[in-house]
Amino acid sequence: MPGIRKSLLQLVFSGTSMRRWNDKMRPMELMEVDKQAHKMIMAWMLYMLNGSDLDRKDFIDLGDKIVLGGMYDYLYRLVITDIKPPVFYQIKANPAHYQQLTQWVLEQLKPRLQSLGDPFWKGMREYYADGASRDDLASRILDAAHLLASQWEFHLIKDLNPKDEEMDEIEANFIQGIEGFQDLIGVRELMQGNKASLGRFAQLCGQLRFQQRWSQTPRIPETAVLGHMFIVACYGYFFTLMVGGCKARRVNNFFAGLFHDVPELLTRDIISPVKSSVKRIGDLIKEYEFKELDSKIFRTLEQGGYFELSRRLKYFLGVDVGSEFASTICLEGDTREVEWDQLQTIYNNDDCDPKDGFMLKICDDLAAFIEAYTATRNGITNDQLQQALWKIRKKYQQVSLTETMHIGGLLADFD
C-alpha cells in the first residue's frame, strides 16, 4: 500500500551529509541539499517568468514537471555521490553508459520510492528513459537553475584556490553553459547578482546556507536553513501526493515549503521557546518579519517590475492571512483561509489554487524531528535534542491525515 515511510524521509534528509566541491579549499562545508534548494528557488523564478503566457492548465503542468524533475535529479544525485561531475558528464555523453548507470541508480532507489505509488515511480523511470535527450522548457529551466546555483557556489571558493589548475576551466564551462540559456527570461538578471532585483533576491536566498539551524545545539550533521526548506518542500509534495491532492496543490505545497523560512533572512532562526516565552513575543516577531519582508524583498522585486513574483511569494508566505502555515485558497486574486478538511474535499481542485498550511507544519516538524533523531543516532545527546524528540512525538501521537496516514505511527518507526 502506498504511503510515507521512514526510509523515504531519511533518504531525502541524507543530502545534508553530502559534501560538494570536496576536493577544493572551501570557506565552509557546502552541502548538496543546500545547493538543491538554491537551484529550485531559481527554477521557480524562471518558471514564473517563462510560463507567464501559458494558460492555467499548461502553467500548472509546467510547474509540476519542474518540481518532479528537480526531485528526480536530487534523488539520482544522492546515489551517485562519489562520482565527480567531470566523470559523470563523460558518462552522460555516452547514451549506452548513461543508461547502464541509470539502471543501477533506479535499482538502488526502488525500495524507498515505490512506497509513493506507481505514478511517482513510473514517472521517474520515464524521466530517465530517454537518457540525456530532454530539451523541453521544464528541463531547460532546471538545467539553467542548476548551472546558476553551482556557479554561485563556485564564486565562494574561487579566490581560495588560486593555484588550482582546474579553476579556470570550471569557470569557462559555467560561462559557456549558461550562455546557452540566455533566451530564457530572467537568466541574465540572475547572473547580475545584486545589480538586478531578481539577482538580489536569489543572492539573499543563497545566504540562508550560511545560517545554521539549532545554532546553540551541537549536532551531526549540522543543517542550514536553506537545505531545511528544500527538505520540507519535498516532504510537502510527497504528503500531498499521498492524500490525493490536485496538481496545483502539489506544486503550491512544494514551493510554499521551499520558501517557508525565507523570513529568517531578516530575523535569523528564532527557536520556538523564545517565540512563546513572553506574551505576544510571537506576534511581535511575525509583525517584524512581514515589515522586513515588505521592505527588503517584496519592494525589491516590485521595483524591478516583478509584481507577479512578489504576489505569489506573499501567497506562499501567508502574508494576507498572517501565517505561512495557514491553509488557503485563492479565487480571482482573493486569498481566503480555509480548514484542512475543506482542502481535502470542496477545494481540492486546480481552480481553487489550494495551499496546505496544516500539513506543511507537519512536514516542518518532521524535518526538525529527523534532524534531532539523526544527531542522537550519531552520538550527540543533550537536553534540547531529547526535548524536541519528545515534544514532536507527543504533539502528533493522535494525528492522522487519512485513515492510512497516521503521523504518530510514522514517528513510532523511529526507535
Side-chain angles (χ1 to χ4, degrees):
M1 180 180 294
I4 304 295
R5 301 285 188 268
K6 170 186 175 182
S7 60
L8 175 64
L9 300 182
Q10 290 181 310
L11 174 66
V12 174
F13 183 74
S14 65
T16 60
S17 298
M18 183 175 169
R19 293 176 174 84
R20 293 176 53 78
W21 305 97
N22 203 32
D23 59 342
K24 308 298 180 187
M25 179 74 75
R26 306 176 297 285
M28 57 178 289
E29 290 294 358
L30 301 174
M31 297 301 183
E32 183 66 29
V33 72
D34 300 323
K35 182 273 174 101
Q36 294 294 331
H38 204 193
K39 165 187 170 180
M40 293 309 291
I41 287 171
M42 293 193 193
W44 173 76
M45 289 187 271
L46 296 176
Y47 159 53
M48 292 291 295
L49 294 172
N50 291 274
S52 60
D53 292 335
L54 300 174
D55 63 38
R56 178 158 178 76
K57 181 183 182 303
D58 290 342
F59 181 72
I60 295 171
D61 286 344
L62 176 62
D64 196 51
K65 289 178 181 177
I66 290 171
V67 169
L68 284 170
M71 291 192 296
Y72 292 156
D73 288 340
Y74 172 63
L75 294 167
Y76 192 106
R77 185 77 182 97
L78 291 176
V79 177
I80 62 165
T81 175
D82 293 329
I83 302 178
K84 287 187 64 172
V87 177
F88 173 68
Y89 293 137
Q90 289 185 37
I91 294 173
K92 199 171 182 179
N94 185 311
H97 294 168
Y98 182 58
Q99 280 301 99
Q100 290 175 15
L101 176 64
T102 295
Q103 184 61 37
W104 177 77
V105 170
L106 292 176
E107 288 173 1
Q108 306 307 305
L109 291 172
K110 183 177 180 179
R112 285 175 280 190
L113 297 185
Q114 273 194 311
S115 65
L116 289 171
D118 289 338
F120 185 90
W121 178 239
K122 180 182 178 182
M124 186 166 188
R125 293 204 317 272
E126 292 177 349
Y127 184 77
Y128 289 105
D130 297 328
S133 64
R134 294 185 298 275
D135 193 38
D136 57 297
L137 180 57
S139 297
R140 295 194 72 233
I141 286 173
L142 286 169
D143 289 344
H146 159 72
L147 287 172
L148 288 164
S150 296
Q151 186 186 49
W152 193 91
E153 285 183 329
F154 175 76
H155 287 153
L156 294 178
I157 69 170
K158 178 182 175 182
D159 292 340
L160 293 177
N161 295 270
K163 297 181 180 180
D164 191 317
E165 297 179 355
E166 287 186 324
M167 300 307 280
D168 289 341
E169 181 182 354
I170 292 172
E171 185 171 32
N173 287 338
F174 277 131
I175 294 172
Q176 181 181 2
I178 295 173
E179 192 66 32
F181 297 101
Q182 294 289 329
D183 59 306
L184 291 177
I185 303 169
V187 167
R188 291 184 184 275
E189 291 80 356
L190 286 171
M191 291 179 64
Q192 291 174 8
N194 285 336
K195 297 178 181 178
S197 59
L198 201 66
R200 175 170 170 74
F201 177 58
Q203 181 86 2
L204 284 170
C205 291
Q207 290 174 201
L208 282 171
R209 72 166 64 233
F210 307 140
Q211 194 164 308
Q212 294 296 319
R213 285 171 54 78
W214 310 69
S215 59
Q216 298 179 8
T217 305
R219 290 177 302 118
I220 299 176
E222 293 184 337
T223 49
V225 172
L226 187 60
H228 166 77
M229 297 193 306
F230 179 77
I231 291 168
V232 174
C234 292
Y235 290 176
Y237 190 96
F238 294 155
F239 273 85
T240 313
L241 192 66
M242 292 298 95
V243 300
C246 64
K247 190 174 290 186
R249 190 174 163 197
R250 299 199 300 264
V251 173
N252 285 346
N253 286 349
F254 179 89
F255 287 121
L258 187 64
F259 287 111
H260 80 279
D261 273 342
V262 160
E264 293 183 10
L265 277 168
L266 314 167
T267 63
R268 298 179 63 188
D269 184 18
I270 303 172
I271 60 175
S272 296
V274 173
K275 294 178 183 178
S276 58
S277 61
V278 180
K279 186 177 181 180
R280 282 203 73 244
I281 191 69
D283 292 338
L284 289 172
I285 291 170
K286 186 64 67 176
E287 290 174 15
Y288 176 74
E289 284 179 346
F290 286 157
K291 180 180 178 181
E292 289 294 289
L293 280 170
D294 185 58
S295 65
K296 301 288 178 60
I297 293 179
F298 301 142
R299 289 184 192 176
T300 296
L301 288 171
E302 291 165 6
Q303 287 169 0
Y306 301 108
F307 296 98
E308 184 59 22
L309 269 68
S310 176
R311 186 192 70 80
R312 200 64 186 159
L313 196 57
K314 289 178 182 178
Y315 182 62
F316 292 148
L317 293 174
V319 170
D320 293 336
V321 294
S323 173
E324 69 273 30
F325 294 126
S327 297
T328 56
I329 60 171
C330 186
L331 296 174
E332 298 180 352
D334 180 37
T335 299
R336 197 166 86 217
E337 187 171 358
V338 298
E339 297 296 325
W340 188 80
D341 289 344
Q342 293 177 301
L343 284 186
Q344 277 293 88
T345 52
I346 58 176
Y347 297 128
N348 190 25
N349 65 79
D350 293 346
D351 292 336
C352 294
D353 199 16
K355 184 205 73 158
D356 285 88
F358 169 69
M359 194 160 64
L360 280 176
K361 180 57 180 172
I362 292 175
C363 295
D364 187 41
D365 285 340
L366 280 175
F369 180 90
I370 292 177
E371 288 173 338
Y373 174 83
T374 305
T376 59
R377 297 286 288 185
N378 286 332
I380 306 295
T381 303
N382 56 56
D383 290 343
Q384 291 90 341
L385 295 175
Q386 295 298 333
Q387 287 176 12
L389 293 172
W390 178 80
K391 287 181 179 179
I392 294 172
R393 286 184 192 274
K394 182 179 180 182
K395 180 178 180 179
Y396 292 108
Q397 188 172 7
Q398 302 299 327
V399 175
S400 295
L401 292 174
T402 67
E403 290 183 0
T404 58
M405 286 188 63
H406 193 285
I407 306 304
L410 177 59
L411 291 173
D413 289 340
F414 289 85
D415 291 328

